[in-house]
Amino acid sequence: MKQILLGLGLIISSYLGAQTIIYVDKDATGLNNGISWASAYTSLETALNNNNVTGAQVWIAEGTYTPSSQTSYFHIRHGEKLYGGFNGTETSFSQRNPAMYETRLSGDINGDDASGNTTENAWKVIRVNPLPGSSNGEEIIELDGLTISDAVYSSGAGGGVGADYPGVYQKGIRMYNCIFENNVQYYASAFSFYTSYQDPVLEVSNCIFRNNRSFANYLLEFRVTYSYQNDSYATFTNNLFENNDIILDASSGGGIGGRFTNLSTDKFYIQYTNNTFIGNKNDADNFYKTLFVLERANSFNSDVIVDMDNNLFFDNVNLDSIAMNNNALTYTKYIGANCKNNGGDWNQLNNFVGSIINTASPFLDFAAGDFRPTTTYATQGDTASYLSTWTDIDLAGEDRMDYVNGTIAIGAYERGFVCANTTANITEEVCEYYESPSGDEDWTVSGTYVDTIPNQCGMDSIITVNLTVLVDWSVSTSNDSTTLSSNQNGASYQWYSCANPKGPIADETNQTFTPSEPGVYAVEITFDGCSVFSDCIAIDSVAAEPNTVTENTLNSSIQMYPNPAKNQLYIQHDLNETVGLTIYSLAGTEVARASVNNNATIQVSELNAGYYLVKINTQSGSITKKLIIQ
């Protein structure tokens, strides 16, 4: 992230630290009073109802929160600022991650929308309550890092966010990094915000509006009332509008982008910059087959001025005009000279300056949901239209500008990373092994492997690795366990002792190696520019020497028990001699020595649990047995 963002983050953190913070975590088990994560409110509804501090920040941990009833909603009364994307351990605002820790405010009270039952769903998710008689208003509302979904209301407005008309004196609303989805309403389905404040604000940035439905009017509505003779502003930057439907009303429906009502102010400016509109639909019978529906009161000569720059359109249905005036007013303006460098398949873009119109998909992979622009649109935006005071990241969290080339893309995404599942293919050649991208495994054999790690958005990045391991550094042991053999052909070899004294064994440079005594051994393999060591292999017995009693004969003459042993080891033999007994660790270190007559008891209680080698020397030869100490 650029240095300027770090500075901004420090300023935000300092500001938040000076404010009242109310903690909400549905899984908290403490005092349920909101003073910390440990004692967080478990109900968002209770947290908001109990608050009387203007402008308090409400930090909401990941999870799904629903109103308690169909008409209770989450009530904002005091200009609260609702922030999601926490995991419930953060100590500063900058530590949250909305992409990884989803905070969902849902109208699906019973959690059964998937089965088709929406009869109990809340009519609204968030309701902005009127504040009586306060012309000065309270703080601007902020929603940041929230998914607002599943409000269903067959006869009203404001599904995701609703503010009732008239008399709402909140100063305005800012929405960042939010998702509005699956809200179904009669009027404005995503949000409906009415205000009587004299200088209201509507800012929407880096948000997604998808799969919302309105039966008779608009996707969203912003209404300014009363006469204050001040300019009003609505600003939309870096947003995605996808698969929203305005349906089934032949007399009034329409307005994919929204309805903006300007009853009294001097001028009402609507700014749309670097947004993407995909697959939205006005019903064929709708009266307004348009992007915007605009309105002002008959008694005021105010203008509604639309400025559209760097927006991308594709596959929208019944989008016949840019803006339509309600009540046949004539003061709406969208000035072609001010609307610059838009693109896509919408023929209305001919009214704007510098538009790129092409019926082909403007996206890298439309079917897979990759909405980054193709080369045609990747650098064609108007940089002057994107204000320096706006966010400097796109909808996927990438740099909004290409600072190397000094360009900006058309639409909500740059050509950087996109918030979706991603794939990658890697081809690697290694001498010995390759650590998987997730770090969970070491791959030692050539082949094709698949691993999954989180990408920058916390979604799956599926990585296919085509791996060639140049050296086979495995070692085989002969059937009688006396000879070692490197499995890599055509290489140079040097056999080593892994026990004391460690080091190369003189003259042992063949592919196979037969030790002269028990021990632990490895081979260094030099091949194809690589030098690799095998694992250390324990050899318990060695090949019989000439002119000695066979190992089978000695094994039948000498008995060693119990095995495994714990405190004492018994040795019996029928040889007419005293034999020597030496116990070695697998590393080749001598740990015990004894002379044994026909019957002997050896104390082994001081030996650590594990595997040992017992070498018994007789006048006729020697044998080595494996011993287990418990």
Side-chain angles (χ1 to χ4, degrees):
M1 192 62 68
K2 298 187 295 301
Q3 192 171 16
I4 186 172
L5 267 187
L6 176 60
L8 180 61
L10 292 174
I11 293 171
I12 291 174
S13 297
S14 175
Y15 173 75
L16 289 175
Q19 304 297 310
T20 298
I21 297 175
I22 300 170
Y23 297 89
V24 180
D25 184 348
K26 62 189 293 289
D27 299 319
T29 58
L31 299 178
N32 197 32
N33 57 16
I35 65 171
S36 67
W37 284 123
S39 293
Y41 284 110
T42 57
S43 165
L44 175 59
E45 189 174 329
T46 301
L48 294 173
N49 290 344
N50 287 353
N51 175 54
N52 58 9
V53 177
T54 298
Q57 289 88 39
V58 184
W59 291 16
I60 313 171
E62 63 177 327
T64 298
Y65 300 80
T66 61
S68 59
S69 70
Q70 193 170 55
T71 58
S72 59
Y73 322 135
F74 298 121
H75 291 271
I76 294 180
R77 299 175 176 85
H78 302 285
E80 286 102 341
K81 296 166 173 53
L82 275 59
Y83 301 123
F86 298 93
N87 66 14
T89 63
E90 293 83 356
T91 57
S92 68
F93 183 80
S94 61
Q95 292 173 332
R96 71 180 189 137
N97 187 341
M100 181 173 293
Y101 305 112
E102 182 190 63
T103 301
R104 179 178 290 270
L105 311 187
S106 172
D108 184 11
I109 296 173
N110 290 345
D112 57 358
D113 280 11
S115 65
N117 179 32
T118 60
T119 57
E120 93 298 344
N121 284 44
W123 293 349
K124 298 176 185 178
V125 175
I126 295 175
R127 183 178 188 268
V128 182
N129 285 25
L131 291 174
S134 175
S135 60
N136 292 325
E138 292 203 43
E139 294 290 329
I140 294 174
I141 295 166
E142 288 187 21
L143 307 176
D144 191 335
L146 303 171
T147 297
I148 301 169
S149 67
D150 306 309
V152 178
Y153 193 13
S154 61
S155 60
V161 175
D164 292 344
Y165 171 82
V168 180
Y169 286 99
Q170 304 282 1
K171 291 181 179 179
I173 184 168
R174 294 189 174 104
M175 297 186 292
Y176 309 128
N177 310 302
C178 289
I179 298 174
F180 291 80
E181 63 183 7
N182 304 326
N183 297 292
V184 181
Q185 301 288 296
Y186 189 77
Y187 294 115
S189 61
F191 73 86
S192 176
F193 192 88
Y194 301 165
T195 181
S196 299
Y197 185 68
Q198 61 182 345
D199 189 17
V201 170
L202 171 62
E203 294 179 9
V204 183
S205 182
N206 293 71
C207 291
I208 296 174
F209 299 86
R210 63 188 176 205
N211 303 327
N212 300 286
R213 305 179 73 189
S214 174
F215 283 95
N217 273 6
Y218 322 101
L219 173 66
L220 49 90
E221 180 176 7
F222 188 58
R223 180 178 293 195
V224 181
T225 65
Y226 301 130
S227 175
Y228 292 107
Q229 301 303 314
N230 292 325
D231 293 343
S232 299
Y233 297 87
T235 303
F236 293 81
T237 56
N238 302 330
N239 301 292
L240 172 65
F241 297 83
E242 181 186 8
N243 295 333
N244 301 288
D245 288 352
I246 314 298
I247 58 177
L248 299 177
D249 195 307
S251 61
S252 63
I256 289 173
R259 178 196 191 197
F260 299 89
T261 310
N262 182 37
L263 298 184
S264 58
T265 62
D266 185 17
K267 290 181 175 63
F268 191 0
Y269 293 92
I270 305 171
Q271 180 72 54
Y272 267 75
T273 303
N274 281 99
N275 301 282
T276 297
F277 295 83
I278 304 172
N280 302 286
K281 179 183 178 183
N282 281 303
D283 191 80
D285 292 331
N286 284 343
F287 183 70
Y288 301 129
K289 300 180 181 66
T290 185
L291 183 63
F292 306 116
V293 177
L294 307 168
E295 179 181 302
R296 70 167 180 83
N298 288 323
S299 58
F300 295 95
N301 294 322
S302 56
D303 292 335
V304 179
I305 300 173
V306 180
D307 188 9
M308 299 180 62
D309 306 296
N310 306 344
N311 300 288
L312 193 54
F313 297 83
F314 185 67
D315 202 30
N316 298 289
V317 178
N318 292 326
L319 199 56
D320 296 345
S321 62
I322 297 167
M324 179 176 286
N325 291 318
N326 197 14
N327 298 330
L329 300 178
T330 59
Y331 293 90
T332 299
K333 299 178 181 179
Y334 48 89
I335 302 171
N338 292 338
C339 299
K340 299 178 181 178
N341 295 40
N342 299 277
D345 64 352
W346 189 28
N347 59 14
Q348 293 293 315
L349 298 179
N350 286 309
N351 296 285
F352 298 154
V353 173
S355 295
I356 302 174
I357 304 177
N358 192 326
T359 57
S361 168
F363 307 112
L364 285 183
D365 194 344
F366 177 61
D370 184 347
F371 299 145
R372 290 174 295 174
T374 59
T375 303
T376 303
Y377 303 94
T379 60
Q380 300 304 312
D382 177 38
T383 57
S385 297
Y386 199 89
L387 302 185
S388 61
T389 54
W390 294 343
T391 175
D392 52 4
I393 58 174
D394 71 356
L395 188 53
E398 292 293 318
D399 284 339
R400 179 66 274 189
M401 296 278 189
D402 181 343
Y403 292 96
V404 175
N405 300 312
T407 60
I408 189 171
I410 294 176
Y413 299 92
E414 289 295 315
R415 284 295 292 272
F417 199 81
V418 65
C419 280
N421 291 337
T422 54
T423 60
N425 283 278
I426 300 174
T427 299
E428 290 286 348
E429 285 189 352
V430 296
C431 289
E432 186 173 1
Y433 71 91
Y434 183 81
E435 182 178 339
S436 65
S438 64
D440 294 337
E441 297 181 81
D442 290 336
W443 297 327
T444 60
V445 179
S446 298
T448 300
Y449 299 87
V450 177
D451 197 16
T452 301
I453 62 174
N455 62 28
Q456 296 178 24
C457 287
M459 303 183 76
D460 286 343
S461 176
I462 301 171
I463 302 174
T464 300
V465 180
N466 301 298
L467 180 64
T468 300
V469 179
L470 297 174
V471 178
D472 183 351
W473 46 275
S474 61
V475 171
S476 298
T477 306
S478 63
N479 291 335
D480 60 0
S481 300
T482 62
T483 299
L484 300 174
S485 178
S486 168
N487 291 327
Q488 176 63 59
N489 297 320
S492 297
Y493 313 93
Q494 174 62 62
W495 291 91
Y496 279 74
S497 170
C498 298
N500 291 325
K502 297 180 179 179
I505 302 171
D507 301 325
E508 295 294 345
T509 58
N510 294 321
Q511 186 172 358
T512 59
F513 168 55
T514 303
S516 60
E517 60 181 17
V520 185
Y521 303 95
V523 62
E524 181 186 17
I525 306 163
T526 303
F527 179 75
D528 201 11
C530 300
S531 183
V532 176
F533 275 89
S534 72
D535 289 336
C536 290
I537 308 296
I539 292 296
D540 298 343
S541 60
V542 297
E545 297 179 1
N547 303 318
T548 63
V549 179
T550 65
E551 183 176 352
N552 288 338
T553 301
L554 289 177
N555 273 329
S556 63
S557 300
I558 302 173
Q559 306 298 317
M560 181 179 75
Y561 63 91
N563 193 3
K566 186 172 184 180
N567 296 314
Q568 295 175 324
L569 180 68
Y570 299 99
I571 304 295
Q572 291 182 347
H573 66 84
D574 56 8
L575 303 175
N576 293 322
E577 61 179 287
T578 299
V579 301
L581 181 146
T582 307
I583 302 177
Y584 297 91
S585 70
L586 288 184
T589 303
E590 181 180 315
V591 297
R593 177 185 291 269
S595 296
V596 180
N597 294 319
N598 296 92
N599 292 282
T601 301
I602 300 172
Q603 298 296 326
V604 294
S605 58
E606 294 184 359
L607 296 181
N608 294 327
Y611 288 86
Y612 295 85
L613 302 177
V614 179
K615 187 174 183 179
I616 301 173
N617 295 305
T618 73
Q619 295 176 3
S620 303
S622 64
I623 59 171
T624 301
K625 296 176 177 288
K626 182 182 291 185
L627 171 65
I628 302 173
I629 300 296
Q630 291 182 333

